[in-house]
């Protein structure tokens, strides 16, 4: 209301200042809330696969479920834990350390019930271990071998790429879902 009055009187700079004064506290509060909620929300994402893993354990079979969501969770959480530690950001490393342990738990339970020669994970179990281990070793080498100013952005970009794989990995079952008969 007062902003409109300032504008109509020809005081557009004053109107802009008044608008900024109104928006800034709200924006700051929103940013603060998101900063506090982010670690809790990400921890919630890390426990989301628990019902699926419980079903795998109960059935003593992984069925046609892929390993990729769980193996990429391990690698993603490791990369972001390293990034958070490197940048002294507890809000980054602490939930991702939790995610690393959860991902290892999921992979461990998955490994117990996957057929030995399964190749639909996509790929094989040994390929997941090999490539996941390679990315973890690369992260460690970057974090310990480069200056922080170089290592941090490279590890961050790596984390973004692996995060995309993590959230796209359920799509690896899309072909099976589309070709399966509809139950209804």
């Amino acid at each position: 209301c007062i902003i409109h009055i300032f504008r109509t009187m020809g005081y557009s700079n004053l109107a802009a200042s008044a608008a900024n004064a109104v928006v800034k506290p709200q924006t700051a509060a929103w940013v603060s809330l998101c900063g506090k909620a982010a670690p809790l929300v990400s921890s919630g994402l890390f426990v989301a696969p628990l019902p699926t893993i419980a079903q795998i354990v109960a059935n003593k079979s992984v069925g046609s479920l892929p390993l990729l969501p769980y193996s990429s969770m391990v690698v993603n959480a490791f990369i972001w834990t390293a990034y958070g530690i490197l940048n002294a950001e507890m809000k980054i490393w602490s939930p991702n350390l939790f995610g690393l342990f959860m991902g290892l738990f999921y992979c461990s339970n998955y490994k117990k019930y996957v057929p030995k020669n399964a190749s639909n994970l996509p790929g094989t179990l040994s390929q997941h271990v090999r490539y996941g281990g390679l990315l973890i070793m690369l992260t460690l080498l970057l974090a310990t071998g480069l200056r922080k100013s170089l290592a941090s952005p490279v590890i961050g970009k790596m984390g973004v790429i692996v995060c995309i794989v993590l959230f796209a990995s359920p799509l690896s079952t899309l072909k099976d879902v589309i070709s399966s008969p509809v139950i209804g």
Side-chain angles (χ1 to χ4, degrees):
C1 177
I2 188 114
I3 295 167
H4 179 67
I5 294 169
F6 286 149
R7 273 196 194 125
T8 56
M9 293 173 56
Y11 298 108
S12 41
N13 287 343
L14 191 55
S17 296
N20 285 338
V22 171
V23 172
K24 283 184 181 177
Q26 292 170 344
T27 303
W30 179 250
V31 169
S32 176
L33 176 66
C34 289
K36 290 175 183 159
L40 295 172
V41 171
S42 65
S43 295
L45 289 172
F46 289 130
V47 297
L50 274 174
T52 305
I53 295 299
Q55 183 181 10
I56 288 171
V57 171
N59 296 342
K60 296 187 183 337
S61 171
V62 298
S64 63
L65 294 173
L67 176 59
L68 190 58
Y70 313 117
S71 61
S72 60
M73 180 185 288
V74 170
V75 175
N76 183 63
F78 183 87
I79 291 171
W80 286 112
T81 299
Y83 180 87
I85 291 170
L86 193 62
N87 291 289
E89 287 286 347
M90 186 175 174
K91 289 181 180 177
I92 295 173
W93 69 257
S94 60
N96 282 289
L97 185 60
F98 173 69
L100 176 62
F101 287 119
M102 293 306 293
L104 290 169
F105 171 76
Y106 300 144
C107 287
S108 172
N109 280 288
Y110 189 98
K111 184 180 179 258
K112 288 178 192 174
Y113 301 109
V114 68
K116 291 200 186 303
N117 296 324
S119 61
N120 63 335
L121 307 179
T124 64
L125 185 61
S126 65
Q127 287 172 328
H128 282 259
V129 171
R130 192 174 315 125
Y131 295 121
L134 183 68
L135 287 170
I136 288 170
M137 290 302 296
L138 178 60
T139 303
L140 285 172
L141 286 171
L142 290 169
T144 58
L146 294 177
R147 289 187 322 266
K148 178 184 161 187
S149 62
L150 289 173
S152 180
V154 173
I155 292 172
K157 286 178 177 85
M158 232 170 78
V160 169
I161 291 166
V162 174
C163 190
I164 291 168
V165 171
L166 170 66
F167 286 104
S169 61
L171 296 175
S172 65
T173 62
L174 191 58
K175 180 184 168 200
D176 293 334
V177 171
I178 290 172
S179 64
S180 67
V182 177
I183 301 171

